Amino acid sequence: MSTIDLNSPPPNHKFSVSVEREETDGERRVRLFKDVALFVVAVGFVVLLVVLCYSTLSSSTATAEEKKWAMSVLSAATGGIIGYLIKK
């Protein structure tokens, strides 16, 4: 077995030491619950926004300016989702 002197590492070599804490089952459950809850809230917000925009577009009482706003929001949301799926 070879021994490496950490006071003078071999040429072109670096070393690092890290101490990491192990995640417990309770902490893992809390982290996963938080991630899922955030995802559900985000999806709910997007669905609410799409429903609001669609109802504005299909409404006969909405003004032309409101319909332009709704179309812009839907276009931006669609572009964002497509960009996320394609990842470019």
Side-chain angles (χ1 to χ4, degrees):
M1 182 161 85
S2 64
T3 306
I4 298 175
D5 182 13
L6 295 179
N7 291 324
S8 57
N12 299 324
H13 285 76
K14 295 180 182 178
F15 64 90
S16 64
V17 177
S18 66
V19 177
E20 296 178 5
R21 188 171 166 266
E22 194 172 311
E23 185 178 42
T24 65
D25 286 337
E27 292 170 335
R28 181 176 173 271
R29 280 190 218 112
V30 168
R31 180 180 52 82
L32 291 176
F33 174 76
K34 187 174 65 171
D35 290 347
V36 169
L38 181 62
F39 178 75
V40 168
V41 167
V43 167
F45 179 72
V46 170
V47 167
L48 178 67
L49 192 63
V50 168
V51 167
L52 180 65
C53 289
Y54 181 75
S55 66
T56 301
L57 287 174
S58 62
S59 172
S60 61
T61 60
T63 65
E65 192 66 31
E66 290 172 336
K67 288 185 179 188
K68 282 183 188 178
W69 175 85
M71 191 63 89
S72 297
V73 170
L74 283 178
S75 296
T78 303
I81 290 171
I82 290 172
Y84 175 77
L85 293 176
I86 294 176
K87 301 209 190 263
K88 285 193 175 194

